[in-house]
Amino acid sequence: MKPVVYVAREIPENGIKILEECCEVRYRKEMPPPSREELLAAVKDVDAIYCTLSEKIDKELMDSAPRLRVVGTMSVGVDHIDVDYATSKGIYVVHTPGVLTDTTADFAWALLMAAARRVVEADKMVRSGGWKIQWAPTMMLGHDVHGKTLGIVGLGRIGLAVAKRARGFDMKVLYYDVVRRRDVEESMGIEYVELDELLRRSDFVSIHVPLTPQTRGLIGERELKLMKPTAILVNTSRGPVVDEAALARALKERWIAAAGLDVFEKEPLPMDSPLLELDNVVLTPHIASASYDTRAKMAELAATGIVKVLKGEEPENLFNKDVVKVRPLEQVKMI
Ligand code: GLV
């Protein structure tokens, strides 16, 4: 009998093809996506779950799936999965690191540039008939990017790719991370500083940390008040890393100049969010990795990871490496 994989969302077709080669695929393609109740019922007899960051893979869900051996998420972030619990139950977790690094870094830059040079506000002005004077010396003034200081919070793969792009803009790059990367400091010409110093000195702050108990609320009122009144904050990591209510106040009362946000505490962003009333913030719907090429690569990597685990092979995108001690791969093998 083939192992059963439940795919909780519509995904690029190449991912489905990989799974179909050796699994029975239960594809929940229709919109709207499954409710929590439907999800709990659907996983009762499956060997694998292919999910996205929108599905909460917690203790309750894993306990509802007694046959579950592997969860593949089409995301690099795994904060929607109780990984410790999965490990304790011998459930393998595979994700999609690497393939989305450059696409996400490109998008952090798109938000940075759009917020600095007021691209969205300017577009709205043109469309709404607000462009009355052909060229006005003081119209839509924004902030220069080139030659300024960029502060990167979290120098992982994506943070590093964002730093790399700053070279072309002749920027000074600072970074803060819990792990100091002396290996790249010299080669990339970047400087390690503590978080408070980074916030004080940077003209742009871009966040690239995973969401963990340690990073939740990392940027709150105190931190926003340390930033320059001309500074711009970009967040493409996870919403809860920033205290959103404090950020809305910071933008409204101009403790900082602007922000570019792709992620939010609650997604989709509720329509009563105070952020929606502000012109000095660019808002996008969690699309930093959303390019045709990258989403196809993510679909492939998550699917291949699931298949490898079910074949008893260790995939390169295994997140919880310790799981092999709880349930060795020979015991997972189903294909
Ligand atoms: C997207 O946010 C991801 O984690 O891949």
Side-chain angles (χ1 to χ4, degrees):
M1 232 173 56
K2 285 180 170 181
V4 177
V5 54
Y6 178 74
V7 181
R9 295 280 165 127
E10 179 168 23
I11 63 165
E13 208 44 44
N14 61 327
I16 296 294
K17 289 217 168 73
I18 293 166
L19 296 171
E20 273 174 350
E21 275 171 30
C22 47
C23 302
E24 176 191 327
V25 180
R26 297 203 187 138
Y27 191 12
R28 178 57 169 83
K29 194 178 180 178
E30 305 75 32
M31 289 299 265
S35 63
R36 175 76 181 171
E37 290 65 39
E38 184 184 334
L39 198 60
L40 288 173
V43 299
K44 283 209 163 358
D45 60 344
V46 304
D47 304 291
I49 299 175
Y50 187 120
C51 67
T52 68
L53 54 90
S54 305
E55 284 79 44
K56 208 167 173 49
I57 311 295
D58 55 8
K59 189 170 181 296
E60 183 191 25
L61 188 127
M62 289 184 259
D63 285 345
S64 309
R67 290 168 52 101
L68 188 62
R69 290 161 156 75
V70 52
V71 174
T73 181
M74 198 178 142
S75 62
V76 64
V78 293
D79 47 284
H80 54 299
I81 303 172
D82 185 339
V83 177
D84 288 343
Y85 192 64
T87 308
S88 74
K89 291 196 69 159
I91 298 171
Y92 285 65
V93 176
V94 296
H95 65 142
T96 61
V99 291
L100 47 67
T101 302
D102 286 308
T103 301
T104 304
D106 289 349
F107 195 78
W109 270 91
L111 283 178
L112 186 156
M113 300 286 287
R117 298 301 307 275
R118 303 173 64 182
V119 174
V120 177
E121 246 184 295
D123 175 275
K124 279 191 204 148
M125 183 189 177
V126 174
R127 287 172 197 276
S128 65
W131 186 17
K132 307 279 190 213
I133 297 161
Q134 186 199 2
W135 189 90
T138 56
M139 185 172 78
M140 278 281 163
L141 302 185
H143 296 270
D144 271 333
V145 175
H146 66 271
K148 296 288 179 73
T149 298
L150 171 64
I152 295 187
V153 181
L155 197 74
R157 280 178 291 256
I158 299 171
L160 206 53
V162 170
K164 211 163 99 188
R165 284 154 176 74
R167 284 176 165 181
F169 287 87
D170 298 324
M171 293 175 98
K172 163 90 193 154
V173 180
L174 309 175
Y175 81 96
Y176 165 73
D177 200 314
V178 284
V179 184
R180 187 152 173 193
R181 298 284 310 272
R182 287 179 202 272
D183 53 329
V184 292
E185 283 171 25
E186 205 173 319
S187 61
M188 299 266 306
I190 62 183
E191 183 185 341
Y192 173 83
V193 288
E194 288 299 329
L195 181 59
D196 285 4
E197 185 177 342
L198 179 144
L199 295 168
R200 282 195 196 98
R201 285 174 57 192
S202 298
D203 299 299
F204 298 91
V205 174
S206 193
I207 302 175
H208 302 286
V209 290
L211 178 62
T212 64
Q214 292 71 38
T215 62
R216 187 175 285 274
L218 184 69
I219 307 294
E221 175 172 338
R222 189 190 82 85
E223 288 71 26
L224 291 161
K225 285 191 166 154
L226 291 177
M227 291 172 70
K228 298 180 186 183
T230 49
I232 291 174
L233 180 73
V234 174
N235 189 8
T236 51
S237 65
R238 285 292 183 269
V241 174
V242 178
D243 175 344
E244 209 166 277
L247 176 60
R249 265 188 292 131
L251 291 165
K252 188 166 183 197
E253 296 168 16
R254 303 281 171 161
W255 313 345
I256 67 172
L261 306 175
D262 187 48
V263 288
F264 303 90
E265 281 176 0
K266 191 168 186 311
E267 297 175 2
L269 184 65
M271 288 312 287
D272 60 356
S273 165
L275 291 170
L276 292 167
E277 285 161 23
L278 304 170
D279 280 333
N280 55 342
V281 58
V282 178
L283 306 167
T284 52
H286 205 147
I287 55 167
S289 68
S291 73
Y292 292 107
D293 291 348
T294 289
R295 286 290 163 87
K297 286 182 197 156
M298 291 167 73
E300 178 182 336
L301 187 56
T304 308
I306 290 174
V307 170
K308 279 204 173 161
V309 173
L310 294 173
K311 279 184 175 166
E313 295 166 18
E314 184 166 337
E316 80 265 21
N317 56 333
L318 179 62
F319 184 81
N320 57 343
K321 302 217 185 298
D322 282 350
V323 71
V324 295
K325 294 183 204 144
V326 182
R327 192 188 332 227
L329 278 154
E330 312 82 82
Q331 287 175 23
V332 184
K333 195 167 176 345
M334 298 187 74
I335 298 170

